[in-house]
């Protein structure tokens, strides 16, 4: 089972659900819009975990741990006390998204607009496909959100994003290796989530 949600950033999110570490990290963000989006995404992730597990959102504790350096102020979110549950979140000021599953999962959402492709983000074939589309900005985002979601699953890194093949014969693909990929979009944003086909429990 996988629970996926996205919604606009709301001013009324309950910041008391966040841990002290989360509030400290949020408070280091200078722009109030970023602070609001951070809070909204972390609350939404708790709601997804709660729906998946039957816990109350207030009882879901999210912690972050970097697999590279071991730091606790960044990295992939984990659900404290629930090694069987995977969660991911994303925010883009105006919109937030989250996913929870019993299998490795990841999610990304990006606001529509001018997003220059980071160096090394796309393969040559992907770049040519983007350049040939009527809306290259949207085409890039369709690929980029898939790659970000896969990276959050642990399928690769942003430094090697070009190696994550998310372009099929007819456009952005619905799978990459053992991961299922799904996209959603509206007038304001484009997002994608990825989940491993087989639960980890």
């Amino acid at each position: 089972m996988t629970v996926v949600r996205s919604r606009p950033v709301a001013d009324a999110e309950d910041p008391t659900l966040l841990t002290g570490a989360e509030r400290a990290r949020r408070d280091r963000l200078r722009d109030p819009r970023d602070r609001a989006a951070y809070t909204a995404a972390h609350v939404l992730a708790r709601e997804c975990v709660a729906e998946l597990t039957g816990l109350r959102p207030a009882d879901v504790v999210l912690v972050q741990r970097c697999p590279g350096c071991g730091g606790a102020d960044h990295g992939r979110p984990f659900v404290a006390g629930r090694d069987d549950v995977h969660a991911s979140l994303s925010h883009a000021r105006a919109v937030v998204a989250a996913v929870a599953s019993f299998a490795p999962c990841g999610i990304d959402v990006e606001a529509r607009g001018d997003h220059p492709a980071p160096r090394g983000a796309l393969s040559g074939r992907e770049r040519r496909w983007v350049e040939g589309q009527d809306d290259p900005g949207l085409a890039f985002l369709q690929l980029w959100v898939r790659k970000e979601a896969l990276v959050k699953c642990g399928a690769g890194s942003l430094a090697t994003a070009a190696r994550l093949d998310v372009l099929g014969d007819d456009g952005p693909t619905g799978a990459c290796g053992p991961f299922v990929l799904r996209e959603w979009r509206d007038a304001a944003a484009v997002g994608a989530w990825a989940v491993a086909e087989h639960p980890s429990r």
Side-chain angles (χ1 to χ4, degrees):
M1 179 179 177
T2 299
V3 178
V4 184
R5 298 284 179 269
S6 68
R7 68 182 180 217
V9 173
D11 294 332
E13 298 291 357
D14 184 1
T16 64
L17 292 177
L18 274 58
T19 65
E22 287 173 306
R23 289 194 296 272
R25 187 174 183 199
R26 177 204 59 199
D27 292 345
R28 289 196 295 270
L29 299 172
R30 293 186 176 187
D31 193 307
R33 294 171 297 177
D34 292 331
R35 292 195 295 273
Y38 180 97
T39 300
H42 284 247
V43 169
L44 185 59
R46 283 169 165 80
E47 292 175 2
C48 289
V49 171
E51 184 174 337
L52 179 74
T53 62
L55 293 169
R56 297 184 311 140
D59 294 331
V60 175
V61 177
L62 293 180
V63 294
Q64 287 180 277
R65 185 170 60 250
C66 175
C69 71
D73 64 343
H74 61 285
R76 193 179 311 162
F78 294 87
V79 181
R82 292 298 302 260
D83 292 340
D84 61 325
V85 176
H86 301 262
S88 180
L89 56 88
S90 182
H91 47 88
R93 284 197 175 169
V95 62
V96 296
V99 59
S101 180
F102 291 118
C105 57
I107 198 164
D108 186 50
V109 64
E110 301 286 347
R112 288 192 186 231
D114 184 22
H115 289 268
R119 183 179 297 277
L122 304 179
S123 68
R125 187 171 75 95
E126 289 170 334
R127 280 196 307 274
R128 290 189 294 274
W129 178 80
V130 166
E131 291 164 359
Q133 300 307 300
D134 292 337
D135 186 344
L138 171 60
F140 168 71
L141 285 181
Q142 288 180 278
L143 300 181
W144 182 247
V145 293
R146 284 168 166 78
K147 290 173 184 273
E148 281 260 27
L150 287 166
V151 167
K152 291 179 178 182
C153 287
S157 71
L158 293 180
T160 59
R163 298 180 196 165
L164 294 171
D165 185 2
V166 295
L167 182 62
D169 293 337
D170 301 317
T173 186
C176 181
F179 297 98
V180 174
L181 289 162
R182 295 293 180 265
E183 174 191 320
W184 80 95
R185 54 182 141 141
D186 58 27
V190 179
W193 56 273
V195 63
E197 292 188 270
H198 301 293
S200 57
R201 64 174 188 170

